[in-house]
Amino acid sequence: MEQLNIGLEELDQLKQLHQTLRKHPELSEHEQETREILKDFIQTHCSNLEIVDQGRWFYVWKAGSPGKQTIAFRADHDAISNTQGQVFHGCGHDGHSTILAGLAWQLDSMDLSTNVMLIFQHAEENGVGAREIVPRMQEIGVDYVYGLHNFPGFAQNQIIGKSGTFMCASTGMEIRFQGQQTHAGQPEKGINPAFALAELCLKLKDLGKFPGFGPQKALGHTFDSLVMATIISLELGQKGMYGIAAGSGQLQLTLRASKYSDLKELTNLLEEEVNRLATEEHLSAAIRYLDQFPDTSNPVEEVERLERLAKANGLAYHQLEQAFRPSEDFGWYLMNFPGTFFGLGSGDEHPDLHDDRYEFPDEIIASGIRIFRALLMDHQG
């Protein structure tokens, strides 16, 4: 078992860092103060590591022996909004960054053969951050990348793994129909997009239900696994203007699939349907995609490594049977580098992610550092 040399005083300071981050949440692409807090902590406690500022994100670098592999670890640090519109760390990214800062503290006094890159990533929630970072990782020549996410509903400190799809692919899809506004008393003189939107929504009704992860038929196509389309918002015309027949309308969807390839096929089929309806109803149509995430899928051999190391380091291990349906932009890393993304249990009865009551539990910080360190040491042979 790899010994985790972290004392009560060090753990207390990491908990203080976590609480400081929790009190200063910032939304995706606005995490300036968060980065300064993290960099200040690392500069205070680490004298043998290099902090490399990349503007919207930064990484910590520890050089190993020439010609050796480069092992990367990533933590996100953006926050979300609660139901009152207040910014808070409702997904636990403050805890993830605390774990990575703790690993940096550990690395400072270690002699390693490999290079180590600790990525403090911005903008996970909107799918932007990882895509921006991948090119720099390619330039450096990263060989493996690892990351974790805390998960309520699992025992504290339990490691959660799965080969294949661990978290699903998804994208926001914004569909806008433009017709011709007219007087409500003379609707025949205009072109109302309401009927095209209504027909499209009805076609999506079955896709709004969770059918399981088996093969699925939708929109005349058979998909290999799960696909879903969730209606997020529907806007039409001008609210309260009873003398005006609508001339424009917008539908926002979240599309989801177990595999990125199925997600792309689903978007293609929906684009064909939108264009068909626009032609039939004499409308113009515009489509925009936002918050794009690939599936986060783990190779078998890396999940086997994770299970072996978790058990060897006294951490309970849970093999997930089905993928998590939410998305995670770590998938952009795993499309380019081997590695694994896994879960860290935050408590059986802990409030769920994105719930207003959610807070990352301090009690799992040490276990996150332990499993990251074990993964790193496994590459030192």
Side-chain angles (χ1 to χ4, degrees):
M1 179 189 297
E2 171 64 27
Q3 294 301 313
L4 183 64
N5 299 316
I6 181 168
L8 291 177
E9 182 179 347
E10 289 86 352
L11 189 56
D12 283 343
Q13 290 185 59
L14 286 169
K15 290 178 180 179
Q16 290 172 25
L17 169 64
H18 171 227
Q19 294 307 314
T20 300
L21 292 170
R22 187 176 67 82
K23 293 173 183 176
H24 298 86
E26 296 171 298
L27 295 175
S28 299
E29 302 185 75
H30 299 278
E31 309 97 328
Q32 295 91 338
E33 186 176 7
T34 300
R35 285 192 289 277
E36 292 307 312
I37 292 169
L38 287 163
K39 286 190 286 187
D40 182 67
F41 180 89
I42 294 165
Q43 287 169 340
T44 299
H45 296 285
C46 304
S47 58
N48 299 309
L49 304 179
E50 180 185 2
I51 295 176
V52 185
D53 196 330
Q54 298 288 288
R56 285 154 60 89
W57 62 284
F58 73 96
Y59 66 93
V60 172
W61 179 261
K62 185 177 177 71
S65 302
K68 292 294 186 178
Q69 292 182 331
T70 296
I71 314 301
F73 296 85
R74 171 276 217 168
D76 38 21
H77 55 253
D78 52 337
I80 62 172
S81 297
N82 65 15
T83 55
Q84 305 303 312
Q86 300 165 326
V87 182
F88 82 125
H89 272 295
C91 207
H93 297 185
D94 51 341
H96 303 164
S97 289
T98 299
I99 288 170
L100 200 60
L103 180 62
W105 199 353
Q106 292 273 299
L107 290 181
D108 193 55
S109 60
M110 295 170 64
D111 291 323
L112 301 170
S113 61
T114 62
N115 304 306
V116 185
M117 181 184 190
L118 306 184
I119 300 166
F120 290 84
Q121 183 202 305
H122 64 304
E124 186 281 324
E125 292 289 343
N126 62 1
V128 168
R131 296 181 81 172
E132 290 186 2
I133 294 172
V134 163
R136 180 61 182 140
M137 296 170 68
Q138 291 172 327
E139 290 173 2
I140 289 172
V142 167
D143 293 286
Y144 292 89
V145 62
Y146 298 100
L148 62 76
H149 202 294
N150 80 98
F151 284 111
F154 296 86
Q156 280 193 352
N157 303 304
Q158 186 178 56
I159 304 301
I160 304 146
K162 182 185 180 299
S163 59
T165 303
F166 186 76
M167 301 187 77
C168 289
S170 67
T171 184
M173 184 179 191
E174 186 179 275
I175 301 162
R176 185 171 184 83
F177 285 124
Q178 184 65 49
Q180 178 62 53
Q181 178 177 296
T182 190
H183 195 286
Q186 300 174 310
E188 70 279 4
K189 293 186 175 182
I191 303 175
N192 195 323
F195 309 104
L197 286 168
E199 184 174 343
L200 184 58
C201 287
L202 287 172
K203 282 186 174 291
L204 297 173
K205 184 176 180 180
D206 288 341
L207 279 167
K209 304 170 185 176
F210 175 56
F213 281 91
Q216 179 182 350
K217 190 169 184 178
L219 301 176
H221 180 81
T222 299
F223 296 89
D224 292 335
S225 186
L226 169 75
V227 291
M228 295 181 69
T230 304
I231 295 174
I232 303 302
S233 72
L234 179 62
E235 298 176 7
L236 181 70
Q238 301 179 54
K239 186 177 181 180
M241 303 298 287
Y242 296 101
I244 299 175
S248 63
Q250 178 177 281
L251 176 64
Q252 289 185 324
L253 306 169
T254 297
L255 309 182
R256 192 171 307 278
S258 179
K259 288 295 181 185
Y260 193 44
S261 56
D262 277 342
L263 180 68
K264 289 191 286 186
E265 181 63 29
L266 180 61
T267 59
N268 291 337
L269 291 170
L270 281 173
E271 285 185 11
E272 291 176 5
E273 188 63 24
V274 167
N275 291 330
R276 180 188 69 79
L277 288 168
T279 299
E280 289 182 359
E281 298 290 333
H282 307 289
L283 301 161
S284 63
I287 297 173
R288 186 164 68 119
Y289 294 99
L290 308 96
D291 293 12
Q292 296 177 290
F293 298 84
D295 58 286
T296 298
S297 293
N298 294 319
V300 173
E301 60 273 17
E302 286 298 320
V303 175
E304 291 174 348
R305 185 201 302 269
L306 175 70
E307 180 177 4
R308 170 174 56 82
L309 294 173
K311 292 176 178 178
N313 283 270
L315 296 168
Y317 180 83
H318 176 79
Q319 187 72 28
L320 202 65
E321 293 185 3
Q322 291 190 335
F324 290 109
R325 277 183 273 164
S327 300
E328 160 63 57
D329 79 346
F330 201 89
W332 295 116
Y333 298 127
L334 292 175
M335 288 176 69
N336 291 276
F337 312 98
T340 189
F341 189 75
F342 57 94
L344 177 63
S346 45
D348 293 308
E349 304 297 328
H350 200 74
D352 207 356
L353 300 174
H354 294 204
D355 188 304
D356 282 3
R357 300 167 298 163
Y358 174 88
E359 289 184 12
F360 184 94
D362 283 340
E363 293 81 4
I364 67 175
I365 292 172
S367 293
I369 299 170
R370 180 184 294 279
I371 191 62
F372 270 174
R373 176 167 170 153
L375 285 163
L376 175 59
M377 297 308 296
D378 203 54
H379 285 281
Q380 301 307 306

